[in-house]
Amino acid sequence: MSTRDHIVRGFKATLVSRAIYMVSSALLMFILARVLNPDGYGALYWAIGILAVVQLFADLGLGKSTARYISEYGEAGEGQIPHLLKSAIAYKLIILSVVSYVLLLFHEQIAVLLGDPGAAPFLAAGVLFIIANSFNVFAQIVFQGFNRLEYSAAVQAISGATRLVFAVGFVLLGFGAIGALFGYIVGYALAGVIGLALLYRRFYGEYEPAENYEEGLSRRLLEYSVPLTATRSANVIDKRIDVVLVGVFLTPAAVGFYQLGKQIVDFVLAPAESLGFTISPNFGEQKAAGQLEQARQIYETSLTHTMLLYVPAAAGLVLVAEPFVTMVFGADYAGAVPVLQILAGFVVLQAITNLTSDSLDYLGRARERAIAKGATSIANFGLNIVLIPTMGVIGAAIATVMTHTVYVAVNVYVVHTELSLRLARLGRAMGLVCAITAVMAGAVWIVTPMISSLAMLFGAIALGTATWAVLAVASGMLDLREVRAVIR
């Protein structure tokens, strides 16, 4: 199978799983927002934000480090893979045990320290949340290292669907926000168990263990997890610590507004995340084979098509944010509108990040990525502390966009140093994308003031999509033959 066919196959599997996951996430977001008031919705996701920070210490960068070495040794030295998996699982169990015990011991003190003693039950239940989600994510990432994305896709789809069923079920039974958290736990636990079972039956037994474990490989596995941990820590600061700080400085309702905006953005970003997750293992394989020209072609084509989709999507999001939020989630969530409009800029930036960051890990440039992510995340933390008390919930959104702009610029520069990107060609493509966006935005802007119902809202979205499609095909930016190839 050619590299292109392999990428298309992986992209299809990943996109389907992302579709299931994001549709289930959208339904979960819609139902919980309707059933829980903004205070309850905010309390749930504030607790999940805190648990995501704690999860850093439970996961470190072991999953990504394991995937990186599996990708490397899959080309030569397959006998080391069973030893790698044993080491990774052993490290993970030790670290999880320590972190879970500490959280269970000090959950009440942590809740008091953060200014909300009522969050203590969420943090106690969070011990189960961390364990379940840790193995759920680990299985997905390790399958990525094997470049068997259909398995990774299946685990993610299972986690999304089961989380929806149990979270909504527990809430409707009257257990409120804490019931929703237990729904997350059950969903992640089922996905994790299935993922580990697949890993053991389909892959662990497939490789004959080498007689000797390569000297120093276990140590390198742990060492490479250090920059990945730094990067992951910075990711959590970008994606979660702002939610925590909004809860510390403002109200649970403000957390609900901010979280709703971020969840909508995550939904929009699903295709870019799928593409980045699909192509990144190929960079490691092609670098090992000395085929950097092919790696450059893949990255440039992927970046161009990603921007063709996400620059217009971000513009459309700004224009339809108000009618969309108030009609779909209710007037009580109108406070999420300015957050969503500001985070539209983050949509473009994160689309580039989804395409680039994992690729740097497989190119062996995790250290540079970690430094950039660490620096911008510290800046993001500082800006949040300054802007949230002075500007409210939109201050957190502004801080996210400002710092992520710097991070994206550094990421693309590091990729350029590895692959020698054709910058002039990329610049011309981006100019054409912006021109298409301007025409599309003008069409949507004319229609938006006429919106008086949900049907009219979707009419405006449809008009913008049709305008984009016609211009993209007419300009040559979108090749319908390639679209048909992906669909097939």
Side-chain angles (χ1 to χ4, degrees):
M1 184 183 295
S2 68
T3 300
R4 179 184 179 278
D5 290 340
H6 192 77
I7 290 174
V8 169
R9 178 183 173 184
F11 179 64
K12 288 179 180 178
T14 308
L15 190 59
V16 169
S17 81
R18 288 284 196 269
I20 295 172
Y21 187 84
M22 295 311 296
V23 167
S24 64
S25 296
L27 288 172
L28 182 61
M29 173 176 62
F30 173 74
I31 295 171
L32 292 183
R34 286 288 189 176
V35 176
L36 303 173
N37 58 30
D39 286 337
Y41 193 78
L44 169 64
Y45 287 104
W46 188 56
I48 290 177
I50 296 169
L51 293 173
V53 175
V54 177
Q55 184 112 41
L56 279 173
F57 303 99
D59 288 347
L60 301 181
L62 278 173
K64 282 287 185 71
S65 183
T66 305
R68 186 253 173 153
Y69 280 106
I70 286 173
S71 177
E72 181 178 319
Y73 280 84
E75 292 294 310
E78 292 180 347
Q80 298 298 325
I81 290 178
H83 298 303
L84 277 169
L85 289 173
K86 282 183 180 179
S87 294
I89 294 292
Y91 288 141
K92 177 167 279 293
L93 288 173
I94 293 169
I95 296 166
L96 264 176
S97 299
V98 173
V99 173
S100 299
Y101 176 74
V102 171
L103 178 60
L104 190 60
L105 195 63
F106 295 106
H107 68 277
E108 292 182 346
Q109 291 89 331
I110 294 172
V112 172
L113 182 65
L114 292 174
D116 185 6
F122 289 91
L123 300 185
V127 172
L128 299 175
F129 178 95
I130 287 169
I131 294 171
N133 195 36
S134 181
F135 285 108
N136 165 44
V137 174
F138 178 79
Q140 293 181 46
I141 294 173
V142 171
F143 286 137
Q144 184 192 28
F146 281 111
N147 215 348
R148 296 296 299 272
L149 300 176
E150 63 272 23
Y151 290 103
S152 186
V155 173
Q156 186 183 50
I158 291 168
S159 73
T162 53
R163 184 187 64 177
L164 168 66
V165 171
F166 287 99
V168 171
F170 290 154
V171 170
L172 293 180
L173 286 173
F175 293 106
I178 192 71
L181 181 61
F182 273 99
Y184 270 77
I185 292 167
V186 175
Y188 289 151
L190 289 173
V193 168
I194 293 171
L196 291 177
L198 284 171
L199 185 61
Y200 178 77
R201 297 190 62 178
R202 298 284 184 176
F203 294 95
Y204 181 80
E206 183 178 322
Y207 299 99
E208 183 68 27
E211 185 175 343
N212 297 313
Y213 194 178
E214 182 179 312
E215 184 178 354
L217 183 54
S218 178
R219 173 182 52 79
R220 295 201 303 275
L221 174 69
L222 201 56
E223 286 178 349
Y224 195 68
S225 72
V226 173
L228 294 172
T229 299
T231 302
R232 180 172 166 76
S233 301
N235 275 331
V236 170
I237 290 175
D238 273 346
K239 294 182 178 180
R240 298 292 190 177
I241 201 68
D242 47 1
V243 176
V244 176
L245 290 174
V246 168
V248 170
F249 288 117
L250 303 175
T251 63
V255 176
F257 299 148
Y258 188 66
Q259 180 64 27
L260 186 65
K262 295 193 76 171
Q263 287 176 313
I264 294 171
V265 164
D266 286 343
F267 183 82
V268 173
L269 283 165
E273 190 176 355
S274 300
L275 182 58
F277 193 81
T278 301
I279 69 172
S280 53
N282 294 279
F283 289 111
E285 294 173 1
Q286 288 164 10
K287 183 175 181 179
Q291 298 176 339
L292 292 182
E293 175 67 28
Q294 187 175 6
R296 180 180 70 181
Q297 180 65 37
I298 291 171
Y299 181 81
E300 289 180 346
T301 302
S302 301
L303 180 62
T304 300
H305 283 82
T306 298
M307 291 298 94
L308 177 63
L309 175 63
Y310 279 102
V311 173
L317 201 57
V318 172
L319 292 170
V320 303
E322 183 174 1
F324 175 75
V325 170
T326 54
M327 290 179 186
V328 174
F329 300 101
D332 288 345
Y333 287 90
V337 171
V339 173
L340 182 58
Q341 290 175 323
I342 294 170
L343 289 178
F346 178 73
V347 166
V348 177
L349 298 169
Q350 187 61 33
I352 300 173
T353 299
N354 286 341
L355 193 66
T356 306
S357 293
D358 280 356
S359 303
L360 289 177
D361 292 342
Y362 283 93
L363 286 168
R365 301 298 294 268
R367 180 177 178 273
E368 289 84 351
R369 179 190 170 203
I371 293 171
K373 192 64 175 177
T376 53
S377 295
I378 291 170
N380 184 41
F381 181 79
L383 280 174
N384 271 298
I385 291 176
V386 172
L387 296 180
I388 291 173
T390 57
M391 302 181 67
V393 70
I394 65 170
I398 292 171
T400 297
V401 173
M402 289 175 62
T403 54
H404 211 72
T405 300
V406 177
Y407 176 62
V408 168
V410 174
N411 266 0
V412 174
Y413 173 76
V414 175
V415 170
H416 176 56
T417 63
E418 281 285 329
L419 304 180
S420 300
L421 302 177
R422 292 167 290 192
L423 298 180
R425 181 178 178 179
L426 285 173
R428 288 192 295 271
M430 294 307 105
L432 188 54
V433 168
C434 291
I436 291 172
T437 301
V439 177
M440 185 215 75
V444 175
W445 180 76
I446 292 172
V447 172
T448 300
M450 306 174 188
I451 294 173
S452 58
S453 68
L454 189 59
M456 291 292 290
L457 171 61
F458 285 111
I461 295 173
L463 174 62
T465 303
T467 304
W468 166 83
V470 169
L471 292 173
V473 173
S475 65
M477 290 289 289
L478 186 64
D479 189 336
L480 290 179
R481 290 172 296 181
E482 292 184 357
V483 174
R484 292 192 194 100
V486 171
I487 294 173
R488 290 173 187 166

